[in-house]
Amino acid sequence: MKRNNKDIMCVEETYNKRNELSFVLRCSGKDPFTKKYKVYVKTVKVPLDLKGKKEIEQFRLQCQIDWKNEVDKKSKGLLLYKDDKTCFYDYAEKWVEDIIRYNKEAYHHYSTCKGNLKIFKEKFGLYTLQEMTLPVIQHFCDWLCERTYKKEIIRVKKSIKEIIQEKHLTFKQTYTGCGIANATLCVALEVGKTINKTTAKKICDFLDINFNTYFELTSEDVPYSKSSNKSLKGMLHSVLSQAVKEGLIPINYATNEYTKPVTGTVGKKEIFDSLDEIREFRNIINDEQDIRKKTAFFISLNTGVRSAELAGLEWKDIDFETGILSINRNTMYVSGFGTVTKGTKNKSSTRTIKMPMGLISILKEYKTWWEQEKIYHGDLWANTDRLFVQHCGKDMANSTISKWLSKFEELKNIKHVTLHGLRHTNITMLITNGTDVKTVSARVGHNNPQTTLKIYSHYTKESDSKASELIDNLIFG
């Protein structure tokens, strides 16, 4: 029997990997241009706050009615965007709220987009969706590429070499007394060099000199990062894409098909990039008296886990017999939500990592200390299995561990490398020492090896050169 396209109106239930329900609505209608029947499809995610069967059924019926009415309008050529006066900012604001409404774990994405709304209000506050035309969007993209912020710069105005000689101080006495690295002091001796404001103050305090005499505080306009600019354009693209799906506008002009790619600065990945630097860092953290910090830094350096993955580790994730570390969750601080725990970044991020014996030994030592702390605090200790917790046993945010590392490096006068920098250090060590990219990608939780190749292309080229030299020595040497 031939199916009548005019009668199609059906709903299909689908579930994502988090077992969240969506309705796929299919409704037949005419193409206003060809006058032929076609099936219009729309997917609607069921809000997480709807729990009962009756509430969900009512939501489904309302979605069917709304979609049928919308398809009828489209069939008659009454496309919604022709007369729609929806304010872009109001629509974008609702789009942001839907992020957390439909996915309660999307804290970080929600927080980022919420912050981006301030810029959208400033740039598009008076525009309707219809007025988001190509010239308007291209002008915004151009502005993104040109925008700057003021960065404070401290320059050496007068060398401190003479004052060091006057005080009969040795070079070592000076950098030790100032609490800075010897390489940092070398920079401070040269007029015109830039240094950190904290470093300049330490020098002034130790040598008892006037800041303005020896250092000059200025500022310069610095372009925003490329990642920040891409985030804003990406959000604009997503908002307008949703508006196209809902029939509110005909075209999304924020796509790369219509607009030029945004630019911006690309920050240097600060890592320990030599074996000597890595071993020096290892020796320094090995002497750290705070076993929490010692363990956290060693895990990061030895496994390359993300900072949020590090904060989310639990003892059940560690198999001391096999030496396997399992990554199952992220714990992070999100503005407006506090410290939250969610699943890993993506499917590939849920993984297992084989740990070196040295790290297993440190973890066993830390486990003994952790158990003693739990007994000491008694009922005040929160019911948790987390490796890194506050003094009362409550969850600790990744930002706290990051602050530990920054203060530690400042105190020890060593190169400033962030927790993410330790992750980059680990990946670089593996690649430059011959580990295949597929293995590296799996260990660090990248979506696929291409992601690793793209980010670390410089180091993969170095490994390729070493491989060529090896073949040359074996065959022609």
Side-chain angles (χ1 to χ4, degrees):
M1 181 177 175
K2 189 176 180 181
R3 189 173 185 177
N4 186 354
N5 285 335
K6 297 180 183 180
D7 298 330
I8 294 178
M9 178 63 197
C10 60
V11 182
E12 178 188 350
E13 293 185 359
T14 61
Y15 292 86
N16 62 17
K17 63 181 180 180
R18 291 184 291 273
N19 202 35
E20 295 166 343
L21 175 62
S22 295
F23 294 127
V24 180
L25 309 172
R26 289 183 173 85
C27 182
S28 65
K30 281 185 178 180
D31 185 306
F33 303 103
T34 65
K35 304 302 180 184
K36 294 181 179 180
Y37 276 91
K38 60 182 284 187
V39 177
Y40 290 88
V41 183
K42 181 178 183 180
T43 301
V44 182
K45 199 170 183 180
V46 176
L48 298 177
D49 52 359
L50 297 183
K51 301 296 182 183
K53 290 183 179 180
K54 188 175 180 180
E55 286 182 316
I56 293 174
E57 179 64 15
Q58 288 176 342
F59 178 77
R60 181 185 68 80
L61 290 171
Q62 188 60 54
C63 287
Q64 282 184 256
I65 294 169
D66 292 344
W67 186 231
K68 181 69 170 66
N69 290 335
E70 190 171 329
V71 170
D72 286 345
K73 287 184 178 180
K74 289 184 178 184
S75 297
K76 295 173 182 177
L78 301 175
L79 298 179
L80 298 182
Y81 57 78
K82 286 189 175 180
D83 301 309
D84 189 75
K85 298 297 181 183
T86 302
C87 173
F88 168 78
Y89 177 76
D90 291 342
Y91 184 81
E93 196 171 33
K94 179 184 176 299
W95 180 89
V96 171
E97 293 306 317
D98 282 346
I99 292 173
I100 204 70
R101 185 184 180 200
Y102 292 124
N103 183 0
K104 288 192 179 295
E105 286 196 347
Y107 307 103
H108 192 269
H109 183 46
Y110 171 79
S111 181
T112 300
C113 291
K114 189 86 170 174
N116 288 346
L117 278 177
K118 297 175 183 177
I119 293 177
F120 282 5
K121 188 170 186 177
E122 176 190 341
K123 295 296 178 180
F124 306 121
L126 300 177
Y127 286 85
T128 64
L129 277 169
Q130 292 180 66
E131 292 170 333
M132 297 298 286
T133 57
L134 178 55
V136 170
I137 293 173
Q138 185 59 63
H139 180 73
F140 175 70
C141 292
D142 293 340
W143 172 80
L144 285 178
C145 299
E146 295 167 0
R147 66 182 183 138
T148 59
Y149 65 94
K150 293 289 184 182
K151 183 178 180 181
E152 196 174 68
I153 304 294
I154 308 294
R155 282 193 171 84
V156 179
K157 186 163 65 173
K158 182 179 178 181
S159 176
I160 59 172
K161 194 177 294 183
E162 290 183 4
I163 200 74
I164 292 173
Q165 293 172 347
E166 288 176 11
K167 292 179 178 288
H168 305 291
L169 294 169
T170 64
F171 187 79
K172 185 175 182 179
Q173 286 174 333
T174 305
Y175 72 72
T176 302
C178 292
I180 61 176
N182 56 357
T184 305
L185 181 59
C186 289
V187 173
L189 294 174
E190 296 186 45
V191 175
K193 291 286 186 178
T194 60
I195 65 171
N196 183 277
K197 188 175 183 179
T198 303
T199 301
K201 286 184 175 180
K202 285 181 178 180
I203 292 171
C204 291
D205 290 342
F206 176 71
L207 296 178
D208 193 24
I209 56 178
N210 182 269
F211 181 93
N212 294 325
T213 302
Y214 290 87
F215 302 102
E216 182 182 19
L217 174 61
T218 59
S219 64
E220 62 181 35
D221 293 326
V222 178
Y224 277 81
S225 69
K226 185 177 181 179
S227 60
S228 174
N229 291 339
K230 284 182 70 176
S231 171
L232 279 159
K233 187 187 176 186
M235 178 178 165
L236 178 61
H237 173 277
S238 297
V239 173
L240 294 178
S241 179
Q242 184 63 33
V244 170
K245 289 178 183 177
E246 294 180 6
L248 298 174
I249 54 175
I251 300 173
N252 178 1
Y253 288 111
T255 62
N256 290 334
E257 179 184 358
Y258 293 101
T259 55
K260 300 172 185 176
V262 293
T263 59
T265 58
V266 179
K268 180 186 176 184
K269 296 181 179 71
E270 198 64 75
I271 65 171
F272 294 116
D273 50 9
S274 71
L275 190 57
D276 287 341
E277 282 188 345
I278 293 169
R279 286 176 174 168
E280 180 189 12
F281 181 69
R282 175 204 62 191
N283 293 337
I284 293 173
I285 59 176
N286 202 40
D287 293 333
E288 172 58 38
Q289 296 302 305
D290 188 334
I291 194 168
R292 297 178 305 162
K293 298 176 183 177
K294 175 181 175 179
T295 306
F297 302 160
F298 264 120
I299 292 174
S300 184
L301 182 64
N302 281 272
T303 65
V305 294
R306 299 177 177 93
S307 64
E309 295 170 346
L310 178 64
L313 287 177
E314 298 182 358
W315 288 111
K316 65 185 177 187
D317 300 325
I318 298 171
D319 189 327
F320 285 106
E321 290 186 10
T322 61
I324 296 295
L325 175 68
S326 299
I327 307 299
N328 298 302
R329 70 196 67 79
N330 282 333
T331 297
M332 64 190 79
Y333 176 81
V334 182
S335 178
F337 295 92
T339 301
V340 298
T341 296
K342 52 177 282 188
T344 53
K345 184 176 181 181
N346 51 54
K347 188 176 180 180
S348 301
S349 295
T350 302
R351 63 198 188 278
T352 58
I353 304 171
K354 180 73 175 178
M355 298 181 292
M357 292 304 297
L359 178 58
I360 295 172
S361 176
I362 291 168
L363 282 166
K364 286 180 178 178
E365 180 188 351
Y366 180 56
K367 181 78 160 87
T368 301
W369 175 88
W370 190 93
E371 293 288 358
Q372 290 172 347
E373 284 292 298
K374 184 176 180 180
I375 294 170
Y376 175 77
H377 286 88
D379 294 339
L380 297 176
W381 188 270
N383 185 22
T384 183
D385 190 44
R386 292 292 172 86
L387 266 70
F388 302 106
V389 293
Q390 301 176 41
H391 288 294
C392 59
K394 291 183 179 180
D395 291 354
M396 179 181 288
N398 59 332
S399 55
T400 300
I401 304 176
S402 295
K403 289 173 185 175
W404 283 356
L405 182 60
S406 294
K407 290 181 180 178
F408 174 83
E409 289 169 338
E410 185 178 347
L411 183 65
K412 301 296 182 180
N413 299 321
I414 56 177
K415 186 177 184 178
H416 176 63
V417 174
T418 63
L419 276 178
H420 205 68
L422 292 184
R423 172 176 165 83
H424 286 306
T425 299
N426 177 272
I427 297 171
T428 303
M429 277 195 297
L430 294 175
I431 291 175
T432 54
N433 285 281
T435 307
D436 65 276
V437 174
K438 187 175 180 181
T439 300
V440 176
S441 179
R443 280 182 66 90
V444 300
H446 283 158
N447 270 323
N448 56 64
Q450 289 302 316
T451 304
T452 313
L453 283 169
K454 183 178 179 181
I455 300 173
Y456 299 92
S457 59
H458 172 68
Y459 297 105
T460 53
K461 286 176 183 176
E462 282 187 10
S463 295
D464 185 53
S465 297
K466 288 181 180 179
S468 177
E469 289 176 12
L470 175 64
I471 295 296
D472 189 39
N473 290 332
L474 288 173
I475 296 176
F476 299 103

